[in-house]
Amino acid sequence: MADFEIGDVVKGKKFGPMEHDFSGVVEKVYTNSIMISIQDFDPSDKSGVNELNGRAVIRQKEAKMIKAVPREEKDDDEANDKKDDKKSKSTKSTAKKKTSKKSTKKADK
């Protein structure tokens, strides 16, 4: 599975209202899928693209990379720092404060 980034140009398989394959630019990357802005499609799929508001969420496994944006190399130190930050945040205790509620019952007359 390729790692996708925002700005990559990808090709997607037909699905739902689309009768042909299409291509577009990655707008958002999720865990197992990506949202793309549909740029190139068959003219007969125009109504399908309009129905999808020009966007589609497709599986990363089904997307083919056409053109990748330049990648920046990540330093190992920065990656380790981010992991350490996540660990320290997750180990903090989240103690709940006990609050006493006063009940206001109306007496029967």
Side-chain angles (χ1 to χ4, degrees):
M1 174 169 56
D3 291 323
F4 295 99
E5 289 191 15
I6 296 173
D8 289 344
V9 179
V10 296
K11 183 175 183 180
K13 293 183 179 182
K14 62 182 180 176
F15 74 97
M18 306 291 286
E19 294 179 8
H20 302 87
D21 293 348
F22 55 93
S23 64
V25 179
V26 175
E27 287 188 347
K28 189 158 183 166
V29 179
Y30 300 103
T31 305
N32 296 314
S33 58
I34 53 176
M35 179 171 52
I36 65 170
S37 172
I38 301 171
Q39 303 293 321
D40 187 31
F41 56 91
D42 192 270
S44 64
D45 286 336
K46 187 172 183 174
S47 63
V49 173
N50 287 336
E51 186 177 325
L52 296 170
N53 295 322
R55 293 187 175 131
V57 177
I58 60 174
R59 293 183 190 117
Q60 288 186 9
K61 291 179 182 179
E62 293 180 0
K64 287 190 177 182
M65 182 79 69
I66 296 175
K67 183 180 176 186
V69 294
R71 306 286 200 253
E72 294 181 16
E73 292 185 22
K74 296 180 182 177
D75 294 335
D76 290 335
D77 295 335
E78 289 179 14
N80 289 337
D81 289 344
K82 288 181 181 178
K83 288 180 183 176
D84 292 340
D85 289 343
K86 287 182 181 178
K87 286 181 182 176
S88 66
K89 288 180 182 177
S90 64
T91 57
K92 291 181 182 177
S93 65
T94 56
K96 293 183 180 179
K97 294 181 181 179
K98 292 184 179 180
T99 58
S100 60
K101 294 183 181 180
K102 295 180 180 178
S103 62
T104 54
K105 294 182 181 178
K106 294 184 179 180
D108 292 332
K109 292 183 179 181

